[in-house]
Amino acid sequence: MEASKLPCSFAPFPSSTRNRPKCLFPTSAGFRNYKVQSLALMSRKKRTRFVRNASASVQPVTKDPVSEELPTSGNSIRRRFLEFYAARGHKILPSSSLVPDDPTVLLTIAGMLQFKPIFLGKVARQVPCATTSQRCIRTNDIENVGRTSRHHTFFEMIGNFSFGDYFKKEAIKWAWELSTIEYGLPAENLWISVYENDEETYAIWHDEIGVPADHIKKMGEEDNFWTSGATGPCGPCSEIYYDFHPDRGHSTVDLNDDTRFIEFYNLVFMQFNKKDDGSLEPLKQKNIDTGMGLERMARILQKVPNNYETDLIFPIIEKVSELANVSYALADDSTKTKLKVIGDHMRAIVYLISDGVFPSNIGRGYVVRRLIRRAVRMARLLDIRGDEIGNLEGAFLPIVAEKVIDLSSEIDPDLRSRKSRILEELKREELRFVVTLERGEKLLDEMLDDALGKAKINNTGPCLSGKDAFLLYDTYGFPVEITMEVADERGVSIDMSGFDIEMENQRRQSQAAHNTVKLTVENGSELTESIPDTEFIGYDTLYSKAVIKGLLLSGKPVVEVSQGNEVEVLLDRTPFYAESGGQIGDRGVLKVNDTAVIEIADVQKSLGNIFVHKGVIKEGSVAVGREVEAAVDAKLRQRAKVHHTATHLLQAALKKVIGQETSQAGSLVAFERLRFDFNFHRQLLDHELTKIEDLINEWVGDATPLQTKVMPIADAKSAGAIAMFGEKYGEEVRVVNVPGVSMELCGGTHVSNTSEIRGFKIISEQGISSGVRRIEAVAGDAFIEYVSDRDHYMKQLCSTLKVKAEEVPARVVAIMEELRMVKTQVLAANAKTAVYKASVLANNVFHVGTSTQIRVLVEFMDDTDADSLKSAAEYLVDVLQDPAAIILGSCPGEDKVSLVAAFSPSVVSMGMQAGKFVGPIAKMCGGGGGGRPNFAQAGGRNPENLLSALQKAKTDLVSVLSEKLYTAL
């Protein structure tokens, strides 16, 4: 193409040519020598900003004058991105929680996740296009964190999204304008990748933007074609890379070369639906999904060698360096890696806990626990101990977390209000893990002893298996580096290839489970085109007439359904509440002119805001288009309303009694009870539970009228309304207010006056995971039923014990004491009996060895209980005298096996360990166990295998003892 025919990248410009820049790429050769004279380097008074009009054309407007200096802080980069797209018609939306409302992913791993229902067509778009800065977590590449310049567990993805509004042309032009003008990146340092078959995108980059061909790389499906899964929305993508070393030339360029390039902006053109047969069909609504790594752009603009040394992370690293008493600048690579890992992980940990994810051994909680353990392990390798103020038994994580919180003002303003809860949880988890780590050290010692023992027997070099090393690493959080160091001191090698295999297996499982956002275009998307959202009128009435808009039989649309079938009914309007916000769906009936009756057992929301009434046709048949009478079961609705309002009062009471920092972590509002999960670090005391009950019953007795109002969400939050855990809210929200007590955003049904609750009673309080407690309670009719039942039981108890109600506790204590004394007497008698049996069995002792004779006894003791079996073994090892080895077994009950091993001091000094010896014997009986070198107990579930297990114990004992005696000679 002739130079004169190349398009200018930034047209149209004002008619005046005074500030019009030259076309960026007048010729390919000119591109290589061109020194960028971008608008970003001009006075801000002269810069122009482009906004979208209704036809998506670009018009210049003058930007407000500000300082000529281009701010490059992380906060500035984020803010400028959002403002850039806001000026082009995008709605700035907040980051969603790291806990997604999506069962297909564990954590929020991409900026587009909150828009997934819109991309699927399940939810109507609220705005034509949006821009966000989304907090994300990914752990699939956790081993690369700190080792590469760009891998993180926590990162921010700033992006712009179009929901059927604009497409490739605008997305590409704005991405280029943002990069070269707003951020001022030199154009000659930018490279473009496109999908090899996407000629349209290539043409826009080359012909309209003017990027020369030698800076555009066509790449294959693996790199540049985005898919959400085996089927579903997909499309080509285009990426912008920054070249740190343009001096290396253009030949044999590899954009995946991390030493030279970094991808910082990805544009996904969601234009196809992938069908089951693999074919592609155009989507009716073409969407744009983009993402720019904030940390990556900060690295580029701040001119630092890696993402960790940007102002987003480096202040955290500096704090850790201070605690470790090292200089980051002077540190070796190994030390820097450990500092980077802690700096990265602390961001992830703090934001996860802030979003209600607490350490546990399952799901999201395991992710937090694993990150905490990695951070603590790295700290120990850096010799960080204690809490910086001389307390060596203190915790260091809270100190570092405070720095993370200090940096959070523009990422999550709510983080500061949760500070005390976050620091408390970190301290508790760290101190708990230090104990676990110490147990790992003990286990390592045992493993090394075992490896040395086997090597001696097999005459081979001692080696710790990769599986054992990984067990220490993964279960006990024991660093493999320390494992290697300690093993080397003991002369034991480690099977690192086996360790790597175990690590790779875990990594694959992690990637498969957590690194894909699944989108699928289902039949439901077609259904939403013909069926409108359901109008809910259940706040004001429990009865209405409605029209059947759809029927589903086994999940498939049908026109008519007859008696006896389970059916899902879609109505145009309904008084039935659909399950949401923790409240279960209503029950009731649908009637069709007294000719058909559908008994509704549940109501769920689906495909956005369509209510699905699930029930059974008891009489007649129903068809699409028929009018029905919808009637909600009033008694059950009232029970749900009572429990929902009581849940609000419970949260208010908890905040008053145990502290404002506690927050909801889940709830269930059912007809028979309520359940409320909340974040708290300990069991509630009896007097605290009593105070909570008293407060709620006092508020019930105040007979306070409730107030409900729909208002903008910003106004609701300003008024102090509390958002419920896990719920998503639109621009307008419903606020339920118990004046002077509670104000929450809530779409559920509630009583009109607190007096309708009648009474409130906590029936249980327990921990369900680390840092999360659960209260179950009853109110209203359920409260009356509960009290009535307890009164009935108490009367029966009084009658049986022949005492008054107030005397029951003392009588029960007396009976328990009597039982304890009787049990003690029985156990003592059993022990005496077992000792007597043992004295008889002592005649069966045999000897192993010649010059040194070891007395050995392996016997079956019928149904002797475990404690008595222990007494018998202790008696025998004492009577037979040193050296002696005793193995006893019994069947104390159905499907029960008891085993005991007792070795005298001389036998133990030969290298025999009772705990290790009895374990494999117990496995033969379907159990396990262990203990000290001189004494161990075990159990099992297969009594039929006990005699053969004892025979094997006898054979193994003779063999091992004989070998050790021979070796000693």
Side-chain angles (χ1 to χ4, degrees):
M1 182 180 288
E2 298 176 18
S4 61
K5 294 182 180 179
L6 277 171
C8 185
S9 303
F10 303 109
F13 281 86
S15 55
S16 169
T17 60
R18 179 180 178 185
N19 295 326
R20 183 184 303 179
K22 297 177 181 178
C23 203
L24 282 186
F25 310 124
T27 65
S28 293
F31 169 77
R32 287 189 289 273
N33 300 318
Y34 183 67
K35 302 298 182 184
V36 178
Q37 184 185 0
S38 71
L39 296 180
L41 300 179
M42 296 181 179
S43 164
R44 286 283 182 127
K45 290 184 178 181
K46 297 179 180 179
R47 292 181 60 198
T48 56
R49 167 159 286 182
F50 302 91
V51 294
R52 302 172 55 244
N53 61 16
S55 63
S57 62
V58 181
Q59 300 293 335
V61 295
T62 303
K63 188 172 181 177
D64 293 334
V66 293
S67 167
E68 291 188 14
E69 180 184 355
L70 286 174
T72 59
S73 70
N75 286 338
S76 175
I77 294 168
R78 182 193 306 108
R79 192 181 313 117
R80 290 162 65 190
F81 184 100
L82 297 175
E83 290 176 353
F84 178 90
Y85 280 103
R88 287 151 182 79
H90 293 63
K91 175 75 172 180
I92 299 178
L93 296 177
S95 171
S96 61
S97 169
L98 288 172
V99 180
D101 185 19
D102 186 329
T104 68
V105 288
L106 197 63
L107 295 163
T108 298
I109 60 174
M112 56 78 66
L113 194 60
Q114 66 171 300
F115 304 118
K116 175 178 169 180
I118 301 175
F119 289 142
L120 283 175
K122 289 185 174 182
V123 174
R125 69 180 192 181
Q126 300 298 312
V127 293
C129 47
T131 182
T132 66
S133 179
Q134 175 64 52
R135 303 186 299 277
C136 300
I137 294 282
R138 288 184 191 174
T139 59
N140 55 300
D141 289 320
I142 193 170
E143 295 304 324
N144 288 326
V145 170
R147 301 182 184 278
T148 71
S149 62
R150 58 182 177 82
H151 282 98
H152 301 289
T153 56
F154 175 90
F155 59 96
E156 284 187 79
M157 188 65 75
I158 42 181
N160 52 292
F161 307 89
S162 168
F163 314 117
D165 187 44
Y166 61 85
F167 201 48
K168 291 182 180 180
K169 186 174 182 179
E170 294 83 0
I172 291 171
K173 285 185 176 180
W174 290 333
W176 187 258
E177 182 186 341
L178 175 74
S179 302
T180 59
I181 296 181
E182 180 65 36
Y183 291 142
L185 299 182
E188 65 265 33
N189 285 62
L190 302 184
W191 289 68
I192 309 298
S193 71
V194 299
Y195 177 49
E196 57 191 358
N197 296 333
D198 188 6
E199 296 299 333
E200 179 187 6
T201 297
Y202 181 92
I204 295 173
W205 280 116
H206 183 263
D207 299 337
E208 298 190 36
I209 302 301
V211 178
D214 61 4
H215 270 61
I216 304 177
K217 288 288 183 181
K218 291 185 176 182
M219 302 177 76
E221 185 172 336
E222 183 177 348
D223 293 303
N224 277 71
F225 194 89
W226 180 86
T227 61
S228 61
T231 60
C234 59
C237 60
S238 182
E239 296 154 331
I240 308 179
Y241 291 78
Y242 186 83
D243 184 358
F244 291 105
H245 299 285
D247 53 292
R248 294 183 185 176
H250 302 164
S251 60
T252 64
V253 164
D254 179 7
L255 293 181
N256 292 318
D257 178 2
D258 283 352
T259 66
R260 176 172 177 179
F261 296 100
I262 188 169
E263 174 212 332
F264 66 86
Y265 206 174
N266 185 21
L267 316 177
V268 176
F269 310 122
M270 207 179 294
Q271 65 186 93
F272 299 113
N273 175 46
K274 191 174 185 179
K275 301 169 69 174
D276 290 333
D277 61 3
S279 62
L280 302 178
E281 62 179 3
L283 286 173
K284 295 178 182 178
Q285 174 180 295
K286 292 180 173 60
N287 304 307
I288 291 291
D289 162 25
T290 81
M292 174 185 286
L294 177 62
E295 292 80 6
R296 298 186 182 196
M297 181 55 75
R299 171 192 174 187
I300 295 169
L301 293 181
Q302 294 173 20
K303 295 179 171 57
V304 292
N306 55 68
N307 297 1
Y308 298 93
E309 295 182 36
T310 66
D311 68 339
L312 295 166
I313 306 175
F314 196 64
I316 306 168
I317 292 175
E318 285 185 309
K319 185 62 182 179
V320 180
S321 300
E322 177 187 327
L323 293 173
N325 196 28
V326 298
S327 165
Y328 179 85
L330 301 177
D332 57 30
D333 289 343
S334 176
T335 299
K336 284 184 177 180
T337 296
K338 296 176 180 65
L339 293 169
K340 291 174 186 175
V341 169
I342 298 174
D344 167 87
H345 286 11
M346 285 307 301
R347 297 207 304 165
I349 292 164
V350 167
Y351 285 100
L352 280 168
I353 294 176
S354 175
D355 280 354
V357 182
F358 289 85
S360 71
N361 289 329
I362 57 173
R364 302 180 183 101
Y366 178 71
V367 174
V368 180
R369 175 158 286 169
R370 187 182 179 200
L371 292 172
I372 288 174
R373 291 186 171 189
R374 291 192 92 236
V376 173
R377 292 200 324 260
M378 294 298 170
R380 287 173 76 90
L381 290 173
L382 293 170
D383 202 31
I384 296 177
R385 297 287 196 279
D387 59 5
E388 195 189 30
I389 56 175
N391 180 10
L392 295 180
E393 295 181 357
F396 91 98
L397 290 180
I399 308 297
V400 184
E402 291 203 54
K403 176 59 67 176
V404 178
I405 295 170
D406 288 343
L407 298 172
S408 70
S409 59
E410 293 199 28
I411 306 174
D412 181 7
D414 295 330
L415 199 63
R416 289 184 182 276
S417 64
R418 303 167 188 146
K419 177 178 177 178
S420 61
R421 187 180 76 196
I422 294 168
L423 301 185
E424 183 82 21
E425 185 60 34
L426 282 173
K427 178 181 178 182
R428 186 165 49 253
E429 182 68 14
E430 179 182 347
L431 297 181
R432 183 188 296 126
F433 175 55
V434 167
V435 176
T436 302
L437 202 56
E438 290 171 353
R439 287 203 300 267
E441 292 172 342
K442 293 178 182 177
L443 181 60
L444 174 57
D445 284 339
E446 292 180 10
M447 288 178 172
L448 293 176
D449 287 340
D450 192 48
L452 288 166
K454 288 180 179 178
K456 192 172 183 180
I457 293 173
N458 300 324
N459 196 27
T460 58
C463 180
L464 185 69
S465 72
K467 186 169 288 188
D468 282 345
F470 186 76
L471 174 69
L472 287 164
Y473 170 82
D474 192 53
T475 303
Y476 292 89
F478 209 73
V480 70
E481 296 90 346
I482 293 182
T483 302
M484 294 171 66
E485 182 180 332
V486 175
D488 185 62
E489 292 173 357
R490 299 279 300 274
V492 180
S493 63
I494 296 180
D495 176 17
M496 287 307 298
S497 61
F499 177 86
D500 292 339
I501 289 172
E502 296 292 329
M503 182 69 76
E504 182 61 26
N505 288 339
Q506 186 196 64
R507 184 181 292 113
R508 286 175 181 168
Q509 292 171 0
S510 177
Q511 287 175 328
H514 308 312
N515 201 37
T516 302
V517 180
K518 183 179 180 183
L519 297 180
T520 304
V521 176
E522 303 166 341
N523 292 335
S525 62
E526 300 173 5
L527 201 60
T528 56
E529 295 179 3
S530 57
I531 297 179
D533 286 349
T534 309
E535 179 190 359
F536 176 62
I537 56 175
Y539 291 135
D540 304 314
T541 181
L542 298 181
Y543 170 87
S544 74
K545 291 186 177 182
V547 176
I548 298 176
K549 290 294 185 179
L551 293 170
L552 300 174
L553 188 64
S554 300
K556 297 180 180 179
V558 293
V559 175
E560 187 173 0
V561 186
S562 58
Q563 182 176 335
N565 285 297
E566 293 184 359
V567 66
E568 295 176 335
V569 184
L570 313 180
L571 305 175
D572 63 337
R573 62 204 305 258
T574 183
F576 283 81
Y577 183 83
E579 181 174 328
S580 61
Q583 181 177 334
I584 66 173
D586 279 330
R587 297 177 187 171
V589 295
L590 301 178
K591 293 185 178 180
V592 182
N593 295 332
D594 294 327
T595 62
V597 176
I598 308 173
E599 193 173 279
I600 301 300
D602 189 21
V603 184
Q604 296 284 331
K605 281 185 182 180
S606 183
L607 306 173
N609 203 38
I610 296 175
F611 285 35
V612 180
H613 304 72
K614 301 182 178 185
V616 176
I617 301 179
K618 293 295 185 180
E619 300 176 20
S621 62
V622 293
V624 174
R626 297 291 299 273
E627 186 178 72
V628 299
E629 297 176 357
V632 174
D633 186 317
K635 289 185 177 180
L636 292 180
R637 166 64 79 82
Q638 180 64 18
R639 292 172 79 107
K641 288 165 61 176
V642 163
H643 280 142
H644 207 149
T645 305
T647 301
H648 285 211
L649 298 183
L650 174 57
Q651 176 158 234
L654 281 166
K655 287 181 175 293
K656 275 186 172 291
V657 174
I658 64 175
Q660 289 295 321
E661 69 276 5
T662 189
S663 62
Q664 181 183 352
S667 68
L668 172 68
V669 175
F671 304 130
E672 72 281 0
R673 65 191 169 100
L674 68 87
R675 186 180 74 209
F676 187 80
D677 299 341
F678 58 101
N679 299 308
F680 201 58
H681 62 276
R682 62 168 173 81
Q683 181 180 355
L684 267 62
L685 304 176
D686 288 343
H687 78 272
E688 291 171 328
L689 293 172
T690 299
K691 190 171 182 180
I692 289 168
E693 285 183 345
D694 290 346
L695 264 175
I696 294 172
N697 285 313
E698 180 182 332
W699 292 331
V700 169
D702 288 341
T704 303
L706 270 71
Q707 301 171 355
T708 58
K709 185 178 181 181
V710 176
M711 63 177 71
I713 188 168
D715 293 348
K717 288 185 175 181
S718 296
I722 299 173
M724 301 294 280
F725 176 84
E727 288 298 296
K728 289 184 176 293
Y729 300 97
E731 294 294 317
E732 297 282 319
V733 293
R734 183 170 179 261
V735 178
V736 176
N737 184 21
V738 183
V741 177
S742 165
M743 181 187 293
E744 296 188 16
L745 310 183
C746 183
T749 61
H750 289 269
V751 299
S752 57
N753 190 294
T754 58
S755 62
E756 294 177 41
I757 296 175
R758 301 163 70 189
F760 176 90
K761 181 68 181 175
I762 294 174
I763 58 178
S764 70
E765 190 274 339
Q766 60 184 331
I768 58 172
S769 64
S770 178
V772 180
R773 309 293 302 177
R774 170 173 291 173
I775 283 179
E776 294 195 4
V778 289
D781 285 350
F783 165 79
I784 301 298
E785 292 164 2
Y786 179 85
V787 172
S788 178
D789 287 344
R790 272 23 182 204
D791 182 62
H792 174 68
Y793 299 146
M794 178 58 75
K795 286 177 179 177
Q796 284 187 322
L797 198 57
C798 291
S799 175
T800 301
L801 298 177
K802 302 188 185 317
V803 295
K804 296 177 182 178
E806 60 270 23
E807 297 171 347
V808 167
R811 182 67 183 122
V812 170
V813 169
I815 292 173
M816 293 296 291
E817 178 60 22
E818 291 171 12
L819 287 173
R820 187 191 65 78
M821 293 176 64
V822 171
K823 185 178 179 181
T824 300
Q825 293 169 0
V826 170
L827 289 175
N830 288 343
K832 287 181 180 180
T833 302
V835 168
Y836 173 75
K837 287 182 180 180
S839 67
V840 175
L841 292 174
N843 296 321
N844 298 335
V845 70
F846 62 93
H847 298 82
V848 175
T850 53
S851 59
T852 300
Q853 291 192 334
I854 301 174
R855 287 168 284 281
V856 177
L857 184 66
V858 179
E859 290 291 338
F860 171 62
M861 292 191 65
D862 302 317
D863 60 352
T864 304
D865 64 84
D867 288 336
S868 299
L869 199 68
K870 176 186 175 184
S871 298
E874 290 172 340
Y875 165 80
L876 285 168
V877 81
D878 184 50
V879 168
L880 295 179
Q881 298 184 344
D882 195 16
I886 294 97
I887 306 292
L888 301 177
S890 67
C891 299
E894 186 177 354
D895 297 331
K896 284 187 178 181
V897 172
S898 288
L899 286 163
V900 64
F903 295 164
S904 67
S906 294
V907 174
V908 173
S909 67
M910 296 170 64
M912 296 289 291
Q913 293 193 31
K916 290 187 176 181
F917 186 86
V918 80
I921 305 303
K923 284 184 180 178
M924 293 179 63
C925 300
R932 304 186 307 275
N934 67 317
F935 196 92
Q937 288 182 282
R941 299 181 300 275
N942 303 323
E944 64 273 14
N945 296 339
L946 178 57
L947 292 180
S948 59
L950 288 172
Q951 183 58 47
K952 179 171 173 45
K954 187 175 184 178
T955 303
D956 290 352
L957 198 55
V958 170
S959 174
V960 175
L961 288 173
S962 298
E963 183 176 346
K964 288 186 178 295
L965 287 172
Y966 177 78
T967 304
L969 293 177

